[in-house]
Structure formats: structure tokens, C-alpha cells
Amino acid sequence: MIKGKIHSIETFGTVDGPGIRYIVFLQGCPLRCKYCHNRDTWNKNGGTEKTAEEIVQDALKYKTYMEFSGGGITVSGGEATAQPEFLYEIFKLAKENGLTTCLDTSGCTKASDISDILDITDTVLLDLKHMIPEEAKNLAGIDINTAIDFARYLDEKNIPVWIRHVLVPGVTDSEENLNKMGEFVSTLNNVERFEILPYHTLGVHKWEELGLKYPLDGIPQAEDEDVKRAKDIIEKYGVEIYNKLD
Ligand code: SF4
């Protein structure tokens, strides 16, 4: 059995997918988000090695809580799809053992290239970085059209998705971006939840610990009123925003 590179594990996650979840954060990310709160995940050669069997066996210790709450296993990152064979093995074993599966991704991988994984994925958490291609490239190093196609693929296959968007003052909160976001998401029929995640600076220390300059130094955290404004713009498109202000 192949071994994957693991950054960390959270045994009792309550925000990354439905119910109580066992969350596996994989090591390695091809993106370069300026606000990355897990800067220590980027290096694909770091982390600790484990097999999918070790992961799922450990997750099964919490099966009662997961079943009771409608939860299961979530694989996040870094970027979970950057270790596709390993991700597939975790999900396959999870399903064989009666656990639901949730993939947390930026959508940077062509969906049809990982169709075997998506066939056994119950929910996708899709973090849409920015709807304007040049801005997405500049902010996160992603070709946003790949993520948009990823979202369309999930819709075609009727795989439930939670869309997420990090609201960064002066970076992702332009009317143009938020209008495009609302317009696009309103075309999808598989969205179970749309969350606006207010930008925070809790991950800055990880950059500092690595001796790196934080790229968004000086940008303020998003406040409740920023989220409210973004919510109002997006909801004009008939898309309901789920957030803690409600
Ligand atoms: S996708 Fe996530 S882990 Fe990767 S750079 Fe962006 S915020 Fe960091």
C-alpha cells in the first residue's frame, strides 16, 4: 500500500463538512495563496508518512460520533488532490468501512482527471479564490477557470458542494468579483451551502516561523460589516449565504 504525506490530523472537526469529522490535512500544495494560513503545508517533501489503512483505522475509533452526527472523513490540505492515488485509497477504504467522504479542495486539478475519486466523494468543499482570472492568479497562483470547470463538473455529476470564498478587504471584496461569484454560483444546482469566510491573520505566525515575509502585511481582517456587504451583493443572485452572522 502506498504511503501519503500527512501534515496533521484533527479528530473532531465540526466545520469542514457535515457533522463531526475526522480531518486529514495532507502535506503539499501547488497554490501560493498570499493569505495562506497553513504556510507550512506547501513543501511536498515534508510531513509524516502514513498508509490509507492507518488513517482509516484511526478514524474508525470515532465512528460512533461520526455516524450519530452525519459526519465522516474529510481530506484537506495543503491541496488534497495533489496526492490523488493516496486520496483515492483513503476514500475507498472509508466507504468500505461505512464512513462518508468529503474533499476539501481549491479545484486546481482537472475534475475529469480525478473522476475515480469524485465518484466516491459525498461532499466537496470548494474554495473559489477569486472570480477574475488575473486576480486569482495574482492572489493564489491558480487558473480560476480550472476551478470553475471543476464546479461545473460537480454540478453535472450532482455531487453536493459547499462553496467557500475568503473575503479579504481590498483584495477579494470588489463588486466585480462578488457579482461574478453570485452570478456563477446561481447557475449551479448542487450547492448545499455557500460560506463567506472572513479573512483573518491567525496564520501569520507560520510565515514568521519559517523566516518569511507575510505577503498581505497591513491588510486588515474582514469585519462583520464587510461580510454583510458581500452577502448582500451575492444574495441578489438568489444565492443564500450561510454564515455565523445569521
Ligand atoms: S490552497 Fe490552502 S494550503 Fe494551498 S496555498 Fe492556498 S490557503 Fe495555503
Side-chain angles (χ1 to χ4, degrees):
M1 205 174 234
I2 57 162
K3 289 191 168 184
K5 300 265 191 187
I6 313 291
H7 172 267
S8 55
I9 285 173
E10 191 183 334
T11 55
F12 225 75
T14 55
V15 293
D16 293 317
I20 293 169
R21 309 199 70 86
Y22 184 93
I23 307 174
V24 187
F25 296 91
L26 299 191
Q27 184 71 26
C29 186
L31 266 60
R32 293 294 176 258
C33 300
K34 289 181 175 167
Y35 55 61
C36 183
H37 49 281
N38 285 320
R39 177 61 182 85
D40 51 339
T41 64
W42 287 11
N43 178 4
K44 66 177 170 30
N45 298 317
T48 50
E49 291 195 337
K50 282 188 197 294
T51 64
E53 196 158 39
E54 286 168 325
I55 301 264
V56 174
Q57 280 308 319
D58 191 44
L60 285 169
K61 290 189 213 155
Y62 310 93
K63 192 176 181 186
T64 317
Y65 298 102
M66 294 195 265
E67 279 184 337
F68 174 73
S69 64
I73 198 161
T74 293
V75 181
S76 181
E79 171 53 51
T81 63
Q83 296 184 57
E85 293 90 5
F86 184 55
L87 175 60
Y88 176 77
E89 281 194 13
I90 296 177
F91 277 9
K92 185 165 165 288
L93 275 178
K95 296 296 266 183
E96 282 170 12
N97 285 280
L99 300 177
T100 66
T101 55
C102 178
L103 167 65
D104 183 8
T105 180
S106 62
C108 62
T109 302
K110 201 171 165 206
S112 54
D113 288 351
I114 55 163
S115 60
D116 54 343
I117 296 167
L118 295 172
D119 284 347
I120 50 172
T121 302
D122 294 304
T123 309
V124 174
L125 311 181
L126 179 62
D127 185 355
L128 288 177
K129 301 291 180 185
H130 204 301
M131 293 303 284
I132 301 167
E134 314 80 70
E135 305 260 341
K137 193 52 120 188
N138 183 37
L139 173 66
I142 190 172
D143 177 353
I144 201 61
N145 287 317
T146 306
I148 288 171
D149 288 347
F150 197 101
R152 290 203 178 104
Y153 179 96
L154 298 176
D155 190 23
E156 276 164 29
K157 302 283 177 188
N158 207 20
I159 300 170
V161 66
W162 292 12
I163 304 273
R164 293 170 149 185
H165 181 51
V166 180
L167 191 72
V168 190
V171 180
T172 65
D173 66 348
S174 69
E175 288 204 12
E176 186 185 2
N177 177 47
L178 296 170
N179 276 304
K180 278 184 188 289
M181 187 71 73
E183 196 175 0
F184 173 63
V185 175
S186 74
T187 66
L188 304 173
N189 301 302
N190 60 334
V191 180
E192 284 198 339
R193 195 182 277 198
F194 185 166
E195 295 176 314
I196 294 176
L197 307 179
Y199 167 68
H200 62 71
T201 51
L202 300 175
V204 175
H205 70 99
K206 294 197 178 178
W207 292 74
E208 289 168 356
E209 279 160 21
L210 293 165
L212 300 167
K213 187 174 168 3
Y214 183 60
L216 295 187
D217 208 13
I219 301 262
Q221 305 198 105
E223 302 297 339
D224 287 356
E225 60 265 30
D226 300 317
V227 176
K228 168 90 175 53
R229 178 182 153 270
K231 187 173 184 290
D232 288 346
I233 295 174
I234 291 173
E235 286 191 336
K236 277 191 319 208
Y237 294 88
V239 174
E240 194 187 337
I241 303 287
Y242 173 96
N243 67 34
K244 294 191 187 93
L245 294 180
D246 295 329

